[in-house]
Amino acid sequence: QVQLVESGGGLVQAGDSLRLSCAASGRTFSTQTMGWFRQAPGKEREFVGHITWSATTSYADSMKGRFTISRDNAKNMVYLQMSSLKPDDTAVYYCAASNRVLPAPREGQYPYWGQGTQVTVSS
């Protein structure tokens, strides 16, 4: 019904910037809100932030200031711009889609997921 594909991950040095992309296809009415999550080795998956169809955003408190989410509805694309990266940001980053207008910051609120893209930040 909905397919999501992330791209843009890679190996960077501390202090660098990186932009991740997520392309959506299929039933785009199910992409009312797009979320970003990440999972570091040995840790639970955590909420990064989300963006609604009308481009309002919300972020986890620990992500505010360095991460910015945007979207291009005409292209069915969503982006995660990361700056001042730290080794603790090393994780697999996932995009997810929800038909909810304002989903809660939980995995269960998002029925559609991409396969993730690896971001590694060296010190």
Side-chain angles (χ1 to χ4, degrees):
Q1 186 175 358
V2 175
Q3 294 80 44
L4 305 174
V5 180
E6 302 100 334
S7 62
L11 175 63
V12 298
Q13 295 182 347
D16 284 355
S17 296
L18 195 65
R19 188 176 82 160
L20 306 183
S21 300
C22 177
S25 61
R27 300 290 187 89
T28 56
F29 70 85
S30 296
T31 63
Q32 179 80 258
T33 299
M34 298 292 295
W36 284 97
F37 293 77
R38 70 182 187 183
Q39 187 166 22
K43 298 183 179 180
E44 296 182 353
R45 191 168 300 183
E46 67 176 331
F47 173 77
V48 174
H50 77 231
I51 184 166
T52 69
W53 186 264
S54 59
T56 57
T57 56
S58 180
Y59 303 92
D61 289 341
S62 60
M63 313 297 174
K64 293 180 180 178
R66 296 189 299 121
F67 292 3
T68 301
I69 301 173
S70 60
R71 71 187 297 169
D72 186 334
N73 293 341
K75 297 181 178 179
N76 295 320
M77 296 287 292
V78 63
Y79 308 95
L80 176 63
Q81 178 68 49
M82 304 182 290
S83 63
S84 301
L85 286 166
K86 307 173 182 179
D88 286 347
D89 294 319
T90 295
V92 176
Y93 285 73
Y94 300 88
C95 67
S98 175
N99 196 41
R100 294 176 179 268
V101 176
L102 289 174
R106 303 194 305 268
E107 295 179 54
Q109 298 283 287
Y110 295 82
Y112 308 106
W113 292 78
Q115 293 300 305
T117 184
Q118 176 72 48
V119 173
T120 302
V121 184
S122 65
S123 59

